[in-house]
Amino acid sequence: MAAQDPRRGLDPLRVAEVMVRPLAGRGPGRRGSGYRVGPWWVLTAAHVVRDARTGATDVRFEADRADEWTVAARVVLASEQADVALLELDGSAPHGVHAAVTEPPSYGAVPDADLVLPCSAMGFPGSSCARTGCDGSTTARRPSTATPATRRA
């Protein structure tokens, strides 16, 4: 069997948990998903890091696994309108397989024709309001499904 191209699909070593510590006494902070798009950069949602002060953002890789590692990061670019932000890591990856994630990931394009596209998703739903509720109450997690969509001109 031929080896799969490591740049196709989601790479679990690139998946990141972005954690923003709150100002003292100002709530629980925020968490969200991110994806390592270069040796020093993580792409995430702007709403996760909105108003993050210097030194308040950490990025964790391999969460809850033996190879888990965390590094401080800072917001270098953000667009509220597009809800996207780019973080720069303040430290290097540990030696080994994590340090090898230096090539840019593959990106896809949606063609103009209608078709069903396979997709994958990774994230941290257990660290969001899905588990404890934004108001501190306990809520049940509901499984989610994705429905293929078509694009029409």
Side-chain angles (χ1 to χ4, degrees), residues 15-107:
V15 175
E17 182 177 16
V18 179
M19 303 170 289
V20 179
R21 290 182 301 282
L23 292 171
R26 295 234 176 138
R30 290 184 303 278
R31 291 176 185 247
S33 304
Y35 200 72
R36 192 171 175 199
V37 295
W40 305 103
W41 303 283
V42 171
L43 198 62
T44 189
H47 71 266
V48 172
V49 294
R50 182 179 300 125
D51 302 323
R53 66 190 193 291
T54 302
T57 304
D58 292 317
V59 180
R60 181 167 64 161
F61 297 91
E62 293 289 302
D64 300 326
R65 304 185 80 152
D67 291 336
E68 177 182 308
W69 60 285
T70 302
V71 63
R74 65 185 184 93
V75 178
V76 291
L77 294 169
S79 169
E80 291 294 326
Q81 184 176 4
D83 194 24
V84 65
L86 183 67
L87 307 180
E88 183 177 34
L89 302 179
D90 288 340
S92 60
H95 295 292
V97 68
H98 302 289
V101 181
T102 57
E103 293 293 318
S106 295
Y107 296 98

